[in-house]
């Protein structure tokens, strides 16, 4: 496999800067409407959060991975640190205290689709100052991956703090208006349909190709649009037409965290020197494997499981 040329020596293939949540998951036959109560399954508590999920997904695939995040000094925080350590993630950047650990309230329906409400807790206390204080950790990474379950100021500080040659991958989830300096640093910006439409607003168009055209015009060097069972579409401003990347067909049990697994795999493979379409081709397989099992982190595949898909 091709290696990165000309970038600083790295100790981590991937540094994830992001959230860590305890996922409180209940299966439901259908979601309640306003004012309605439905009965669900027994409650299950899983380690989750888009940042923590990405870190575990990458480490499980074999990437040297670190996590920069904040958790509370509580049982959920200990659950999250333990799951990271078990996966082999470097947790030296996981800060403790300031608020209770973030919590995600998740319902999963019989088709495997989920609905999520996040209470950010300690994630909201991961500050730009925490990023500046972690400069030595940022300098160790080939690729830095961020999402939007931490404050936008912290994401912007991360984009400003990248070492020369370090690539930024951003999944703007949950979506929020993005400053130009953040958009310009993305390589790629990774969105699903919902996030693409949010960022583009009216006039987004109705095809992934039109979303890719609209998003690349906003400044990112590249864009990846995830299309669920239909795979992904990649667009690189350095040349070539947008490319569709198909996904293997699988039976979905629970889609929670599949997007995080996709983005982590993509970021890792880009750091190894693959081009966008190659890296996305690997990442769709990782995402497909992840939907075949329940939970977020528990569903993420090893490299051997991806090869067998
Ligand atoms: O992307 C899935 C994740 O979103 C869950 O693990 C939950 O914590 C929310 O952050």
């Amino acid at each position: 496999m091709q290696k990165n040329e000309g970038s600083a020596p790295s100790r981590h293939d991937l540094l994830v800067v992001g959230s860590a949540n305890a996922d409180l998951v209940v299966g439901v036959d259908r979601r309640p409407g306003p004012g309605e109560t439905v009965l669900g399954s027994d409650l299950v508590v899983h380690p989750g959060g888009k940042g923590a999920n990405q870190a575990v997904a990458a480490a499980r695939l074999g990437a040297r991975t670190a996590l920069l995040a904040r958790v509370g000094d509580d049982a959920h925080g200990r659950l999250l640190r333990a799951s990271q350590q078990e996966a082999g993630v470097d947790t030296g950047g996981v800060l403790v205290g300031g608020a209770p650990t973030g919590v995600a309230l998740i319902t999963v329906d019989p088709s495997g689709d989920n609905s999520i409400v996040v209470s950010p807790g300690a994630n909201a206390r991961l500050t730009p100052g925490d990023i500046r204080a972690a400069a030595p950790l940022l300098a160790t990474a080939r690729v830095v991956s961020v999402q939007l379950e931490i404050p936008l100021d912290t994401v912007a500080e991360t984009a400003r703090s990248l070492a020369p040659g370090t690539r930024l991958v951003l999944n703007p989830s949950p979506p929020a208006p993005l400053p130009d300096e953040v958009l310009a640093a993305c390589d790629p910006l990774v969105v699903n349909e919902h996030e693409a439409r949010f960022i583009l607003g009216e006039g987004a168009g109705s095809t992934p190709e039109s979303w890719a055209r609209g998003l690349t015009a906003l400044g990112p060097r590249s864009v990846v649009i995830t299309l669920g069972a239909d795979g992904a579409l990649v667009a690189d401003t350095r040349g070539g037409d947008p490319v569709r990347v198909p996904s293997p067909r699988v039976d979905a049990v629970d889609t929670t965290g599949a997007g995080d697994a996709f983005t982590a795999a993509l970021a890792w493979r880009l750091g190894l020197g693959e081009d966008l379409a190659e890296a996305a081709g690997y990442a769709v397989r990782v995402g497909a494997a992840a939907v075949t099992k329940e939970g977020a982190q528990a569903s993420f595949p090893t490299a051997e499981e991806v090869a067998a898909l």
Side-chain angles (χ1 to χ4, degrees), residues 19 21-23 47-50 53 104 106 116 118 149 256-258 260 296:
S19 59
N21 298 327
D23 287 355
K50 295 182 195 302
N53 289 349
I106 302 181
I116 304 178
V118 172
E149 287 183 338
T256 311
D260 305 329

Side-chain angles (χ1 to χ4, degrees), residues 177-276:
L178 294 170
D180 289 347
E181 65 169 334
V182 171
L183 280 164
C186 295
D187 191 13
L189 177 72
V190 182
V191 294
N192 62 19
E193 173 176 350
H194 171 67
E195 291 144 9
R197 287 185 183 279
F198 177 94
I199 293 169
L200 291 168
E202 281 182 22
S206 55
T207 64
E209 283 76 7
S210 65
W211 305 331
R213 269 195 303 278
L215 290 168
T216 49
L218 296 177
R221 289 172 222 173
S222 56
V223 168
V224 174
I225 299 174
T226 57
L227 303 170
D230 290 330
L233 178 133
V234 306
D236 197 321
T237 58
R238 283 156 292 214
D241 291 328
V243 176
R244 291 253 185 176
V245 179
S247 168
R249 292 283 153 185
V250 293
D251 290 328
V253 172
D254 181 356
T255 58
T256 311
D260 305 329
F262 172 95
T263 303
L266 179 85
W268 172 49
R269 302 296 279 209
L270 288 172
L272 294 180
E274 291 188 356
D275 69 25
L276 202 54

Side-chain angles (χ1 to χ4, degrees), residues 5-297:
E5 302 282 335
S7 52
S10 57
R11 197 156 54 78
H12 295 110
D13 300 314
L14 179 65
L15 168 65
V16 181
V17 179
S19 59
N21 298 327
D23 287 355
L24 311 188
V25 185
V26 176
V28 291
D29 287 337
R30 62 178 184 82
R31 295 191 179 81
E36 192 184 7
T37 301
V38 298
L39 292 178
S41 67
D42 286 348
L43 176 75
V44 185
V45 181
H46 294 299
K50 295 182 195 302
N53 289 349
Q54 285 195 14
V56 165
R60 196 161 291 153
L61 292 167
R64 295 169 302 166
T65 309
L67 177 65
L68 175 48
R70 186 175 281 280
V71 296
D73 185 8
D74 50 30
H76 287 157
R78 287 187 283 281
L79 169 78
L80 282 150
R81 286 169 62 88
S83 70
Q84 295 291 315
Q85 286 161 357
E86 202 176 306
V89 175
D90 176 349
T91 57
V94 177
L95 305 167
V96 179
T101 300
V103 169
L105 307 176
I106 302 181
T107 54
V108 180
D109 72 18
S111 74
D113 279 335
N114 61 63
S115 299
I116 304 178
V117 177
V118 172
S119 168
N123 298 306
R125 275 75 168 183
L126 187 69
T127 64
D130 292 332
I131 302 302
R132 289 190 288 276
L137 180 59
L138 273 125
T140 67
R142 276 185 194 169
V143 181
V144 172
S145 184
V146 281
Q147 325 76 39
L148 297 188
E149 287 183 338
I150 56 174
L152 197 50
D153 284 353
T154 304
V155 172
E157 186 63 29
T158 304
R160 273 181 229 121
S161 306
L162 298 177
T166 300
R167 192 165 182 158
L168 184 75
V169 174
L170 169 64
N171 172 219
S173 178
L178 294 170
D180 289 347
E181 65 169 334
V182 171
L183 280 164
C186 295
D187 191 13
L189 177 72
V190 182
V191 294
N192 62 19
E193 173 176 350
H194 171 67
E195 291 144 9
R197 287 185 183 279
F198 177 94
I199 293 169
L200 291 168
E202 281 182 22
S206 55
T207 64
E209 283 76 7
S210 65
W211 305 331
R213 269 195 303 278
L215 290 168
T216 49
L218 296 177
R221 289 172 222 173
S222 56
V223 168
V224 174
I225 299 174
T226 57
L227 303 170
D230 290 330
L233 178 133
V234 306
D236 197 321
T237 58
R238 283 156 292 214
D241 291 328
V243 176
R244 291 253 185 176
V245 179
S247 168
R249 292 283 153 185
V250 293
D251 290 328
V253 172
D254 181 356
T255 58
T256 311
D260 305 329
F262 172 95
T263 303
L266 179 85
W268 172 49
R269 302 296 279 209
L270 288 172
L272 294 180
E274 291 188 356
D275 69 25
L276 202 54
E278 276 179 291
Y282 186 80
V284 292
R285 299 171 68 80
V286 172
V291 303
T292 63
K293 293 185 191 157
E294 286 184 4
Q297 297 177 14

